[in-house]
Amino acid sequence: MFTQLGVIGCGLMGGSFALALKKAGLVKRVVGYSKSPSTTETAKKMGVIDVAAESALLAVSGSDIVLISVPVSATEPTLKAIRHLVTPNTLFMDVGSTKSDVVEAARRVLGEKINCFVPAHPIAGKESGGIQNADATLYQGRQVILTPLPETLPALVQRATDAWSAMGTQVLKMTPENHDAAFAAVSHLPHLLAFAYYLSVARQPAGRDFLSLAGPGFRDFTRIAASEPAVWRDILMANRAEVLKQSRAFRKALDRLEMLMVSGNASSLEEQIRLVSEDRSQWQMGQLTVPRSQQK
Amino acid sequence: MFTQLGVIGCGLMGGSFALALKKAGLVKRVVGYSKSPSTTETAKKMGVIDVAAESALLAVSGSDIVLISVPVSATEPTLKAIRHLVTPNTLFMDVGSTKSDVVEAARRVLGEKINCFVPAHPIAGKESGGIQNADATLYQGRQVILTPLPETLPALVQRATDAWSAMGTQVLKMTPENHDAAFAAVSHLPHLLAFAYYLSVARQPAGRDFLSLAGPGFRDFTRIAASEPAVWRDILMANRAEVLKQSRAFRKALDRLEMLMVSGNASSLEEQIRLVSEDRSQWQMGQLTVPRSQQK
């Protein structure tokens, strides 16, 4: 289906995409570029890429599919570096966790050529990033959100859909704005809360002792607090308006629960927890959930 | 080692304790009582208990070890029901997640006989409670906190220590107050935050759509939001002073991170996330962690 994949940024996301596309038999050759030559070298040794390119532009040259898998803040300089080779013959995608800022950057840099760019956000990852964790099955059974623009070439949206589908990834389409609102709620705010929570415990005088007593609940609740700092700096900065909006909603819910605790209203507190507990018990990843109260 | 274990409250915790004690070859017979006869019946069918008792008092009769594994708020009435059979010949323990309130209740009900009671909190559990989830390995490789009082009989503390150790559980001793401060930080507050967070998302007009897009980070962050309502009502009410204190510390940390987002201070935001991320990456359950910055 594709002759050559160009991967710009050979990390967990880019490397896993290359492996998955190869595994699906959809690409003949993978050319990779990373800012750090040792990363590119590792990617080559691991068989993730076939050829190491010396620049982002050289990774695009001759490719009919290009994945830009760099931290969100590096998207704009990357697009600048490659814009001369952006043509409708090639499908350009990114993997950024925020989309409005990426689309704005693409519009600034690419102008009319933005029609060649299909913004993408695969809902997959691991705390441990880096090429050494690349995994051909990372995207299998997961979702990818595409946020095509009115001007995006339909043929490229179709090729993007086909490529992700062939890897076993469910393709959803949304506007960049709806995407960012949704992910502020279900991903970005939880990360912010996990960072803040862990900081608040670790900084207490008895914090170390407390942490040594923590159990499986703590372990799972704080797993995302170990996420990559540069990636999350970019996400929280890029999508801050939506994240702060979600944080305000969260604080209101927290206020309400604490009010019930302070006023000694145990039965209302239990009722609230029961609502959450039943709803969360029925929630399943990648499925539309219907609360028990709305079921027939 | 023990002739008869009396289990009051045949749920996940009590049932797993019975199975583990049997597996370790430490008890000849298990007598169980639950408020609901069908629970006791299931426990008997599953082989968790050998004899179903018709009252809490009858479960104590003839037992040399008794485990009170009921929701924290039911501890006091349970102690009242059994106090006539509380003697130093029998080791009495509970499994409650809060300890100051349990000790106060025990002091009120048992008076001087409180010396027979070894308050215990095993750091183990599952979201799915109930006897049907009882598991002989639930406590294996986990910690249990004992909070003996100055008057607790040392021989009973030793027997408690030996019983848990034989199940492969690491025994730690703390005061009830230190226990409650520590678990407010590492367990109770995370539950409260997870409840509030899930409520805030689910209640938004687009909440259902948002939830259908949530990925593995959300799944793990909210796992504890599916916990048992009655159990968590009791814990949050019993330990509310410490939980609210931890919540204030958390809100300050959240304020600080949001301030960095609002002011556009990306590098300080990254620095804070890096602190958390490195520290959390090194944290391991049940081990004293030393932050990288303090290592030699």
Side-chain angles (χ1 to χ4, degrees):
Chain A
M1 189 189 201
F2 297 104
T3 303
Q4 182 179 302
L5 165 67
V7 177
I8 302 173
C10 299
L12 172 67
M13 304 299 276
S16 297
F17 187 86
L19 288 174
L21 211 62
K22 280 187 173 189
K23 196 182 165 199
L26 285 180
V27 67
K28 289 184 193 156
R29 190 170 58 244
V30 178
V31 177
Y33 167 74
S34 274
K35 212 170 63 176
S36 145
S38 72
T39 302
T40 329
E41 203 179 317
T42 306
K44 204 176 157 190
K45 274 188 194 151
M46 287 173 66
V48 174
I49 64 172
D50 304 303
V51 181
E54 287 187 1
S55 70
L57 193 65
L58 286 171
V60 175
S61 175
S63 295
D64 49 358
I65 175 170
V66 169
L67 193 77
I68 300 167
S69 41
V70 297
V72 178
S73 65
T75 306
E76 187 157 0
T78 302
L79 288 171
K80 277 186 188 157
I82 65 169
R83 70 177 145 194
H84 298 299
L85 290 181
V86 172
T87 73
N89 297 325
T90 303
L91 164 62
F92 290 86
M93 291 192 290
D94 75 323
V95 296
S97 299
T98 52
K99 297 269 68 82
S100 301
D101 64 315
V102 165
V103 167
E104 279 168 33
R107 209 177 280 287
R108 276 194 299 273
V109 176
L110 300 178
E112 284 185 1
K113 286 181 173 180
I114 198 169
N115 63 358
C116 308
F117 179 58
V118 181
H121 173 207
I123 315 304
K126 301 179 182 174
E127 289 64 59
S128 313
I131 185 68
Q132 66 280 8
N133 292 299
D135 178 351
T137 65
L138 184 70
Y139 303 118
Q140 202 173 297
R142 297 298 170 84
Q143 298 177 323
V144 63
I145 319 291
L146 305 181
T147 64
L149 308 167
E151 57 264 62
T152 313
L153 294 167
L156 292 182
V157 177
Q158 190 56 54
R159 296 188 79 184
T161 304
D162 293 345
W164 287 104
S165 300
M167 296 180 189
T169 312
Q170 189 194 356
V171 180
L172 303 174
K173 294 187 188 76
M174 298 174 75
T175 66
E177 295 72 27
N178 286 346
H179 169 279
D180 287 358
F183 285 90
V186 298
S187 170
H188 308 167
L189 181 66
H191 278 78
L192 179 65
L193 299 181
F195 296 143
Y197 164 70
Y198 196 98
L199 270 177
S200 82
V201 176
R203 278 192 177 150
Q204 295 176 32
R208 292 290 129 199
D209 293 338
F210 290 175
L211 291 173
S212 73
L213 294 167
F218 174 94
R219 177 194 61 205
D220 292 353
F221 184 75
T222 61
R223 185 179 65 79
I224 53 176
S227 297
E228 281 190 74
V231 169
W232 283 92
R233 170 204 63 198
D234 287 354
I235 291 172
L236 294 177
M237 293 307 290
N239 202 23
R240 63 184 150 186
E242 291 293 341
V243 174
L244 293 171
K245 189 176 148 191
Q246 287 299 328
S247 179
R248 285 191 296 274
F250 159 75
R251 283 170 188 255
K252 272 188 199 162
L254 182 59
D255 287 344
R256 274 193 293 263
L257 293 182
E258 291 187 352
M259 200 72 82
L260 298 175
M261 289 163 66
V262 170
S263 65
N265 194 338
S267 64
S268 292
L269 180 65
E270 180 180 358
E271 199 181 300
Q272 294 297 305
I273 299 175
R274 191 173 302 282
L275 274 175
V276 176
S277 176
E278 289 190 356
D279 206 82
R280 177 57 183 79
S281 300
Q282 290 172 67
W283 176 85
Q284 282 191 297
M285 203 162 68
Q287 291 196 356
L288 201 66
T289 54
V290 179
R292 199 173 289 177
S293 55
Q294 291 178 24
Q295 284 173 359
K296 281 181 188 170
Chain B
M1 190 189 203
F2 296 103
T3 303
Q4 181 178 302
L5 164 68
V7 176
I8 302 173
C10 300
L12 171 67
M13 304 299 276
S16 298
F17 187 86
L19 288 174
L21 210 61
K22 281 187 173 188
K23 197 183 165 200
L26 286 181
V27 68
K28 289 185 192 153
R29 189 169 60 243
V30 177
V31 178
Y33 167 74
S34 273
K35 212 170 62 176
S36 145
S38 73
T39 302
T40 328
E41 203 178 318
T42 306
K44 203 176 158 190
K45 274 188 195 152
M46 286 173 66
V48 173
I49 64 172
D50 305 303
V51 181
E54 286 186 3
S55 70
L57 193 66
L58 285 171
V60 175
S61 176
S63 294
D64 48 356
I65 175 171
V66 169
L67 193 77
I68 301 167
S69 42
V70 297
V72 177
S73 65
T75 306
E76 188 158 0
T78 302
L79 289 171
K80 276 185 188 155
I82 65 169
R83 69 177 145 191
H84 298 298
L85 289 181
V86 172
T87 72
N89 297 326
T90 303
L91 164 63
F92 290 86
M93 292 192 289
D94 75 322
V95 296
S97 298
T98 51
K99 296 269 71 84
S100 302
D101 64 315
V102 166
V103 167
E104 278 167 33
R107 209 177 279 288
R108 276 193 300 273
V109 177
L110 300 178
E112 284 185 2
K113 285 182 175 183
I114 197 170
N115 63 357
C116 309
F117 179 58
V118 180
H121 173 207
I123 315 305
K126 300 178 183 176
E127 288 67 57
S128 314
I131 186 68
Q132 65 280 10
N133 292 298
D135 178 350
T137 65
L138 186 69
Y139 303 117
Q140 203 173 299
R142 296 299 172 83
Q143 297 177 323
V144 63
I145 318 290
L146 305 182
T147 65
L149 307 167
E151 56 265 61
T152 314
L153 293 167
L156 292 180
V157 178
Q158 190 57 52
R159 295 187 82 182
T161 303
D162 293 345
W164 288 104
S165 299
M167 296 179 187
T169 312
Q170 189 195 354
V171 180
L172 303 175
K173 294 186 187 78
M174 297 173 74
T175 65
E177 296 73 27
N178 286 346
H179 169 280
D180 287 358
F183 285 90
V186 299
S187 169
H188 309 167
L189 180 66
H191 279 78
L192 179 64
L193 298 182
F195 296 142
Y197 164 70
Y198 196 97
L199 270 177
S200 83
V201 175
R203 279 191 177 151
Q204 294 176 35
R208 292 289 129 200
D209 293 338
F210 289 175
L211 290 173
S212 72
L213 294 167
F218 175 93
R219 177 194 62 204
D220 292 353
F221 184 75
T222 61
R223 184 178 65 78
I224 53 177
S227 297
E228 280 189 76
V231 169
W232 283 92
R233 170 203 65 198
D234 286 353
I235 291 172
L236 294 178
M237 294 308 289
N239 202 23
R240 63 184 150 184
E242 291 293 341
V243 174
L244 293 171
K245 189 174 146 191
Q246 288 298 329
S247 179
R248 285 192 294 274
F250 160 76
R251 284 172 189 253
K252 274 188 197 162
L254 182 60
D255 287 343
R256 275 194 293 263
L257 293 183
E258 291 187 352
M259 200 72 81
L260 298 176
M261 290 163 66
V262 171
S263 65
N265 194 340
S267 64
S268 292
L269 181 66
E270 180 181 356
E271 198 182 300
Q272 294 298 304
I273 299 174
R274 190 172 302 280
L275 273 175
V276 176
S277 177
E278 290 190 355
D279 207 80
R280 176 59 182 79
S281 300
Q282 290 173 67
W283 176 85
Q284 281 191 297
M285 201 162 70
Q287 292 196 356
L288 201 66
T289 54
V290 179
R292 197 172 292 178
S293 55
Q294 290 176 25
Q295 283 173 3
K296 285 185 186 166

